[in-house]
């Protein structure tokens, strides 16, 4: 959204400064000429002043046009960056009490810009997360937090989506009052889903009576369950990060364990 620009009252006074400055000089200068030529001199001076004012006005217009073009170019760069990423952009105009957002809509395949009042936004938020967001914003505005960072649920399409929002004050008035907060947001629904699945898997492993250990692709212990610790005699703190060869037995030679690991890498299982 490109901000509107217009000449302020002080800008208008600067444009007409030559005319104001020459005003007291004109009668004195005109008195030095014969009565028949006095009005032509005044007209000539007025014409020169008008040209100067017009030139200054045109220069000012060109400067404003260049500034507006720079803002449009910046906005286009932001939109291109958003289109190429999964992040969205938002800013809160505190003076107007309006929230703007811009993000790539996967269904539409383009950057979509929206505008909300705080009440309209609250209606789309999960009721349990409204207080969390308002608290994070209030803490930042009161200088209790350097930035805003909060995860919350928001209605998106036909389901609730988890979003991670970050932001900070980006514009202040001359007296220090915050005027604008801006930042980014990202859909972390899939991350949340994966974290939940991981927690469930950990709880299942913990509750199993069979001995279970999880290793990485490089055959290092990641986690285990109490039954596995009782069988091996190693605590989790002693196993995690260690190579699985820690439990190699002298009853088998090196080739036995090499074949075992090769089978796991090829088929994903060994028995």
């Amino acid at each position: 959204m490109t901000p509107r620009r217009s000449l302020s009252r002080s800008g208008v006074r600067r444009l007409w400064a030559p005319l104001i400055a020459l005003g007291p000089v004109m009668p004195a200068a005109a008195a030095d000429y014969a009565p028949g030529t006095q009005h032509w001199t005044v007209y000539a001076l007025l014409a020169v002043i008008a040209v100067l004012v017009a030139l200054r006005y045109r220069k000012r217009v060109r400067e404003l046009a260049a500034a507006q073009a720079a803002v449009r170019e910046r906005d286009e760069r932001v939109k291109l960056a958003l289109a190429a990423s999964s992040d969205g952009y938002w800013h809160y105009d505190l003076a107007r009490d309006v929230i703007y957002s811009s993000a790539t809509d996967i269904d539409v395949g383009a950057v979509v810009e929206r505008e909300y009042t705080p009440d309209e936004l609250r209606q789309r938020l999960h009721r349990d997360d409204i207080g969390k967001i308002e608290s994070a914003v209030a803490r930042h505005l009161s200088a209790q937090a350097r930035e805003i960072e909060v995860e919350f649920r928001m209605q998106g399409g036909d389901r609730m989506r988890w979003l991670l929002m970050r932001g900070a004050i980006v514009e202040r008035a001359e007296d220090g009052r915050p005027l604008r907060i801006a930042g980014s947001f990202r859909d972390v629904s899939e991350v949340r889903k994966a974290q939940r699945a991981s927690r469930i898997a950990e709880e299942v492993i913990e509750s199993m009576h069979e001995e279970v250990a999880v290793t990485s692709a490089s055959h290092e212990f990641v986690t285990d369950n109490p039954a596995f610790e009782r069988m091996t005699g190693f605590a989790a703190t002693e196993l995690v990060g260690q190579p699985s060869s820690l439990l190699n037995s002298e009853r088998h030679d090196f080739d036995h364990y090499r074949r075992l690991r090769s089978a796991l890498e090829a088929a994903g299982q060994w028995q």
Side-chain angles (χ1 to χ4, degrees):
M1 181 177 296
T2 303
R4 296 180 178 176
R5 294 176 177 267
S6 61
L7 290 177
S8 64
R9 187 174 299 175
S10 60
V12 173
R13 285 199 297 269
R14 287 197 297 272
L15 287 175
W16 287 97
L19 180 59
I20 297 171
L22 289 174
V25 179
M26 288 167 52
D32 295 336
Y33 293 88
T37 60
Q38 181 175 344
H39 64 284
W40 293 110
T41 304
V42 173
Y43 293 155
L45 287 173
L46 288 174
V48 171
I49 293 169
V51 170
L52 292 174
V53 171
L55 291 175
R56 178 171 292 194
Y57 178 78
R58 289 182 60 184
K59 180 182 179 182
R60 182 60 176 162
V61 168
R62 286 196 298 268
E63 290 174 350
L64 288 173
Q68 291 172 345
V71 171
R72 286 194 297 269
E73 183 179 355
R74 181 199 63 190
D75 289 346
E76 287 300 320
R77 287 198 299 265
V78 170
K79 289 180 181 179
L80 289 173
L82 291 174
S85 71
S86 58
D87 288 357
Y89 165 80
W90 67 273
H91 76 265
Y92 180 18
D93 187 331
L94 296 170
R96 295 184 57 203
D97 201 27
V98 176
I99 302 166
Y100 303 91
S101 72
S102 180
T104 301
D105 190 315
I106 298 177
D107 297 329
V108 178
V111 175
V112 177
E113 297 182 350
R114 294 185 174 91
E115 179 177 319
Y116 308 97
T117 65
D119 287 338
E120 290 171 342
L121 184 61
R122 287 189 191 96
Q123 293 175 7
R124 298 190 59 186
L125 296 174
H126 193 286
R127 61 184 180 183
D128 294 340
D129 296 335
I130 296 175
K132 187 194 304 184
I133 297 175
E134 293 178 344
S135 176
V137 173
R139 284 177 54 81
H140 179 60
L141 290 175
S142 62
Q144 298 181 48
R146 290 184 58 187
E147 62 179 4
I148 300 167
E149 182 170 342
V150 60
E151 288 190 16
F152 58 93
R153 286 158 290 183
M154 182 174 178
Q155 187 68 38
D158 58 350
R159 66 187 180 94
M160 281 285 180
R161 297 179 182 272
W162 276 100
L163 300 178
L164 169 61
M165 182 182 77
R166 295 187 176 96
I169 298 169
V170 296
E171 184 180 355
R172 293 181 181 271
E174 292 182 358
D175 59 3
R177 288 181 299 105
L179 294 178
R180 191 185 305 271
I181 307 173
S184 63
F185 61 89
R186 171 177 292 187
D187 189 332
V188 293
S189 301
E190 293 303 317
V191 175
R192 278 273 184 165
K193 183 178 179 180
Q195 290 174 341
R196 181 173 180 273
S198 178
R199 285 196 300 271
I200 292 174
E202 289 179 3
E203 291 172 2
V204 170
I205 291 174
E206 286 286 324
S207 63
M208 291 177 65
H209 296 291
E210 293 82 1
E211 299 82 3
V212 178
V214 179
T215 64
S216 65
S218 57
H219 305 288
E220 294 176 345
F221 286 106
V222 176
T223 187
D224 63 2
N225 69 349
F228 188 84
E229 293 174 19
R230 288 192 296 269
M231 180 188 72
T232 62
F234 286 97
T237 54
E238 298 173 297
L239 286 174
V240 174
Q242 297 296 322
S244 60
S245 59
L246 177 68
L247 300 181
N248 285 1
S249 171
E250 295 180 354
R251 304 174 70 178
H252 301 286
D253 59 17
F254 176 78
D255 286 339
H256 169 79
Y257 292 105
R258 182 180 57 80
R259 289 192 299 271
L260 184 153
R261 293 188 179 97
S262 296
L264 283 173
E265 293 172 357
Q269 62 181 357
W270 174 84
Q271 56 181 336

